[in-house]
Amino acid sequence: MTVVVFLSSLLGFMSFGMPIAFALLLTGGVLMWYLDFWDVQLLAQNLKAGADSFPLLAVPFFILAGELMNAGGISRRIINMAQAYFGHLRGGLGYVAIAASVLLASMSGSALADTAALATLLLPMMRERGYPLGSSAGLVAAGGIIAPIIPPSMPFVIYGVVTNTSISQLFLAGLVPGLIMGAGLVIAWTLISRGMTEPLPPKATSAERRRSLIDGAAALMLPVIIVGGLRGGLFTPTEAAVVAAVYALLVSVLLYRELSWQALVEVLTRASRTTASVMFLCAAATVSGYMITLAQLPAEIAALLGPLADHPRLLVAGIMLLMVAIGMVLDLTPTILILGPVLAPIAAGAGVNPVYFGVMFVLIGSIGLITPPVGTVLNVVGGIGKLRMEVLVRGVMPFFLIYLMVVALLVAFPAIVTVPLEWLH
């Protein structure tokens, strides 16, 4: 009955168009009333505790780092460097998009920031070269969701906080799956671009490639610093976020000199607004998460999934299917905040590695960013490219299917995630 109360309250509030943060907060209140445990002071304490978290300090700094990279010319230099090496190939701009997606993912950890940068710079060029608009937009959107998987990842930070999973291990465990996603996009784009007949630009000379590499060298050092620092134990994920933001600021202002004081104020304003909405969402989710634990909701759902408890891979596959359905109607952060505290204990009880489950959880939630009707990343690409949703859905479908194959591969062979994690850690 508790499961029914929780779901009906949450979905009911959301059906009225209520923001998810307020829906989560009120759902916690409903559960408190249902359990005859009503205490307004306890609601307020949990709301405050939800934002008063040292690991969550990584969120505003990663958001700021992403904004600084886009405004300070770092993202553009990464794309220019990829174009110098891959732009001459048939369908070359697609390979540029994939390479830039992987590189940008290793810097910002935000799917929306990376997608916006890629779409703004590459979609007009793809349109001019005569690429199929749907496939081009679909590729950009699919590349953008690699950002939550390759470290540094803001969703991994949030997942680690709400499920008490090691954020450092989540970061390191995301490396191989993220690279596999990029390889999958290369395969799909190679098949799509076979029929393209666009005039190929001249191959960049060795001098041009060298200049682009030198120009982007400072940008390429950021992922090296972050992953190397985490691997060597020099700083925590929260401190890595600060390092990323400070490094992006120094490179943008002192080296590239593309960030004026007025632009910096705008960057700080945008980052502050995004941070406020994300942190309030985390705080509200803490209220509902506390009541979920008190109501023993994970135990009730575990009882419903009882037949799968002795088969960890089937359990993970079942949860992943549930995540695909939920990801179609919820954004990634609310999905983590709502389902993370519920499903993580169930997977742990079945003997599933918590870090492996966290990677799979965030991966499936990220795929939800390119699936309608919500499809946040799809909407960003459609807004920038002025494309209708039906065109975007048709264009992204081959890449969506590739990602489902990646998920199936990781479910069938968990060692792809766990073995490299042990080596890196």
Side-chain angles (χ1 to χ4, degrees):
M1 187 61 187
T2 308
V3 176
V4 175
V5 172
F6 171 74
L7 291 178
S8 59
S9 301
L10 181 62
L11 296 177
F13 290 131
M14 290 172 58
S15 66
F16 289 119
M18 183 178 293
I20 294 177
F22 291 101
L24 285 169
L25 185 60
L26 291 178
T27 298
V30 170
L31 282 175
M32 186 176 283
W33 171 81
Y34 173 73
L35 296 173
D36 196 21
F37 195 67
W38 181 258
D39 188 339
V40 177
Q41 186 175 357
L42 192 61
L43 283 174
Q45 288 175 347
N46 277 279
L47 186 66
K48 177 180 178 295
D52 186 15
S53 168
F54 176 75
L56 279 181
L57 277 175
V59 172
F61 286 107
F62 278 137
I63 292 173
L64 178 59
E67 294 286 353
L68 287 168
M69 285 191 298
N70 288 340
I74 295 177
S75 299
R76 178 170 53 79
R77 282 172 171 82
I78 290 295
I79 293 174
N80 290 342
M81 185 173 56
Q83 187 172 356
Y85 282 87
F86 306 109
H88 65 282
L89 302 174
R90 185 167 304 282
L93 288 178
Y95 299 114
V96 169
I98 297 168
S101 296
V102 173
L103 290 172
L104 290 176
S106 65
M107 299 179 192
S108 75
S110 170
L112 295 182
D114 288 3
T115 303
L118 289 168
T120 301
L121 293 171
L122 287 178
L123 277 185
M125 298 169 64
M126 289 176 155
R127 192 191 302 264
E128 184 179 346
R129 292 262 291 267
Y131 285 28
L133 291 180
S135 297
S136 301
L139 177 64
V140 170
I145 66 169
I146 297 177
I149 308 302
I150 292 181
S153 162
M154 192 172 66
F156 277 156
V157 172
I158 297 172
Y159 180 88
V161 170
V162 300
T163 64
N164 198 28
T165 305
S166 169
I167 298 173
S168 295
Q169 291 191 35
L170 287 170
F171 275 13
L172 296 176
L175 275 172
V176 173
L179 294 175
I180 292 175
M181 292 171 71
L185 293 184
V186 170
I187 294 172
W189 184 252
T190 299
L191 296 175
I192 291 172
S193 61
R194 280 181 175 178
M196 293 184 182
T197 57
E198 90 279 9
L200 299 179
K203 183 177 180 180
T205 64
S206 298
E208 290 172 335
R209 289 183 174 184
R210 189 163 51 250
R211 281 197 299 270
S212 69
L213 185 60
I214 293 173
D215 196 30
L220 290 176
M221 284 302 298
L222 182 54
V224 175
I225 292 171
I226 292 175
V227 175
L230 291 172
R231 174 66 181 81
L234 298 179
F235 41 68
T236 66
T238 303
E239 293 164 344
V242 179
V243 170
V246 172
Y247 184 85
L249 177 63
L250 293 177
V251 170
S252 299
V253 173
L254 301 181
L255 183 60
Y256 295 154
R257 299 182 180 180
E258 292 193 14
L259 193 65
S260 64
W261 288 111
Q262 182 179 356
L264 179 59
V265 171
E266 294 174 357
V267 164
L268 293 173
T269 302
R270 288 196 301 271
S272 299
R273 288 174 177 170
T274 305
T275 298
S277 62
V278 173
M279 294 300 288
F280 182 61
L281 190 57
C282 293
T286 301
V287 176
S288 61
Y290 176 80
M291 295 311 303
I292 285 170
T293 304
L294 200 65
Q296 297 183 336
L297 200 61
E300 290 193 17
I301 296 178
L304 295 175
L305 297 174
L308 299 178
D310 296 330
H311 306 281
R313 290 185 183 178
L314 289 178
L315 178 64
V316 171
I319 291 175
M320 295 303 105
L321 289 174
L322 174 65
M323 288 285 298
V324 169
I326 293 174
M328 295 175 67
V329 295
L330 280 181
D331 205 350
L332 178 56
T333 300
T335 301
I336 294 172
L337 294 171
I338 295 170
L339 295 180
V342 176
L343 298 179
I346 297 173
V352 179
N353 184 305
V355 177
Y356 164 76
F357 182 77
V359 171
M360 297 299 295
F361 188 99
V362 174
L363 173 56
I364 290 291
S366 300
I367 293 175
L369 297 174
I370 58 172
T371 55
V374 176
T376 310
V377 166
L378 275 187
N379 285 313
V380 169
V381 175
I384 294 174
K386 297 180 173 57
L387 298 171
R388 298 190 307 276
M389 180 56 71
E390 56 267 28
V391 175
L392 292 169
V393 171
R394 285 197 301 269
V396 82
M397 191 54 60
F399 310 109
F400 173 76
L401 295 176
I402 283 288
Y403 281 161
L404 291 185
M405 293 171 65
V406 171
V407 171
L409 179 68
L410 297 179
V411 170
F413 303 101
I416 294 175
V417 177
T418 56
V419 171
L421 171 63
E422 294 171 1
W423 178 77
L424 288 168
H425 190 67

